[in-house]
């Protein structure tokens, strides 16, 4: 099968935010080509003692993404260009050109195996199916997850920020709503931390199979994690299915530009006293999200940071 390949030229400083935007539009499996040197954390994943010297970082990143020939290419590209135009108002996107080409189908899962290896988020071990748990790790909390076609493996700073907040606040009575579920990683970790039940929503139908596969491999009981597809921001049917005033925690690891319209809606799903854990916020958008949270009547209880990313945790009044 042939796919339409698109190469978006941008800057290395913007690549994470652009990839997150593409994910929110339902585009998964973005390939990154840049000349950034590997971080120490990257090197730990590579199983080599001495890394060869690479070319000097020129600040340019090429992001490759793929569309099925049956996709509405023009509509998707129009949405991407609109988002890029908005992002260009607050960060350097560089040339921001998009070049189209055609490519043969790829074995995405096996390609991932070259780059995705087990790692830790504090005391939680996140490990793909093709690796073995070491004897010294058998007493840790272990999350089995494969990248697949849905976003969310735990390697990104925004996901780790959410995981740490869940560790603080999940209790055995927690009913949790995960908006922008992706692979299901946050909901599954919440259940492993003792949460009673999780509901997830996502725009991408691929999230349904990803969550099903990842809950099964992690031994999540049937019925503990329910998945719904649709836009909870403006789809009343999704809002009704999710339910009102029933969640102790809502977690949303999505872009700031989505969190702003989401926040005044999602308060209706929260119980009095419930927590709202957000991430996916680039540091220069922190105040915008803070203002949206406070305008919705929520009280900010904690703001945490990792790299250039921010997590805002707020509470609904009792």
């Amino acid at each position: 099968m042939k796919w339409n390949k698109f190469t978006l030229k941008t800057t290395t400083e913007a690549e994470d935010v652009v990839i997150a935007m593409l994910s929110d539009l339902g585009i998964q499996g973005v390939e990154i080509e840049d000349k950034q040197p590997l971080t120490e954390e990257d090197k730990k994943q590579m199983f080599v003692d001495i890394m060869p010297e690479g070319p000097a970082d020129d600040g340019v990143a090429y992001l490759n993404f793929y569309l099925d020939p049956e996709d509405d290419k023009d509509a998707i590209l129009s949405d991407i260009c609109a988002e890029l135009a908005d992002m260009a108002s607050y960060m350097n996107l560089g040339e921001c050109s998009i070049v189209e080409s055609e490519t043969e189908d790829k074995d995405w899962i096996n390609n991932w195996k070259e780059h995705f290896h087990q790692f830790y988020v504090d005391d939680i071990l996140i490990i793909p199916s093709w690796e073995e748990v070491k004897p010294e790790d058998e007493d840790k909390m272990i999350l089995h997850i494969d990248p697949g076609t849905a976003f969310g493996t735990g390697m990104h700073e925004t996901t780790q920020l959410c995981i740490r907040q869940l560790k603080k606040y999940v209790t055995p009575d927690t009913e949790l709503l995960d908006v922008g579920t992706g692979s299901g990683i946050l909901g599954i970790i919440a259940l492993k931390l003792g949460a009673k039940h999780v509901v997830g929503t996502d725009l991408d139908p691929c999230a349904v199979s990803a969550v099903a596969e990842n809950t099964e491999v992690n031994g999540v009981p049937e019925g503990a994690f329910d998945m719904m597809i649709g836009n909870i921001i403006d789809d009343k049917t999704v809002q009704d299915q999710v339910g009102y005033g029933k969640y102790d925690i809502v977690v949303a690891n999505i872009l700031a530009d989505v969190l702003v319209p989401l926040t005044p809606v999602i308060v209706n799903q929260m119980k009095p006293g419930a927590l709202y854990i957000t991430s996916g916020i680039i540091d220069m958008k922190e105040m915008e999200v803070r203002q949206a949270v406070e305008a919705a009547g929520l009280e900010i209880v904690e703001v945490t940071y990792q790299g250039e990313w921010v997590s805002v945790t707020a509470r609904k009044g009792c």
Side-chain angles (χ1 to χ4, degrees), residues 23-40:
S23 176
D24 284 341
L25 292 177
I27 296 169
Q28 311 294 338
V30 178
E31 297 174 340
I32 303 171
E33 298 177 33
D34 62 30
K35 297 175 183 175
Q36 288 194 87
L38 293 173
T39 65
E40 289 305 312

Side-chain angles (χ1 to χ4, degrees), residues 130-237:
W130 54 86
E131 293 191 0
E132 297 289 332
V133 177
K134 300 170 187 174
E136 61 266 30
D137 289 331
E138 290 177 355
D139 59 344
K140 291 184 170 62
M141 180 184 290
I142 299 170
L143 180 75
H144 299 275
I145 196 160
D146 291 347
T149 58
F151 183 81
T153 62
M155 295 188 75
H156 199 274
E157 292 95 328
T158 60
T159 311
Q160 295 180 19
L161 284 165
C162 288
I163 290 170
R164 293 189 177 102
Q165 294 305 93
L166 291 174
K167 287 176 65 181
K168 292 178 190 176
Y169 295 113
V170 166
T171 73
D173 295 322
T174 295
E175 287 279 347
L176 184 137
L177 173 62
D178 180 8
V179 181
T181 304
S183 64
I185 182 171
L186 295 177
I188 295 169
I189 285 179
L191 291 167
K192 284 181 171 286
L193 290 167
K196 183 192 299 182
H197 181 250
V198 171
V199 171
T201 72
D202 204 288
L203 300 179
D204 187 355
C206 289
V208 174
S209 56
V211 168
E213 292 166 7
N214 288 323
T215 51
E216 181 179 4
V217 75
N218 283 285
V220 173
E222 187 174 349
F225 196 137
D226 293 321
M227 191 65 215
M228 302 176 191
I229 297 300
N231 191 342
I232 197 170
I233 295 175
D234 57 17
D235 190 331
K236 182 68 162 51
T237 302

Side-chain angles (χ1 to χ4, degrees), residues 20 32-33 39 45 48 50 55 66 78 88 94 111 123 141 143 145 147 160 192 210 224 233 249 270 273 299:
I32 303 171
E33 298 177 33
T39 65
Q45 305 288 331
V48 233
I50 301 175
Y66 301 82
S78 177
N111 286 350
D123 56 348
M141 180 184 290
L143 180 75
I145 196 160
Q160 295 180 19
K192 284 181 171 286
I233 295 175
I249 296 176
M270 298 166 64
E299 176 191 2

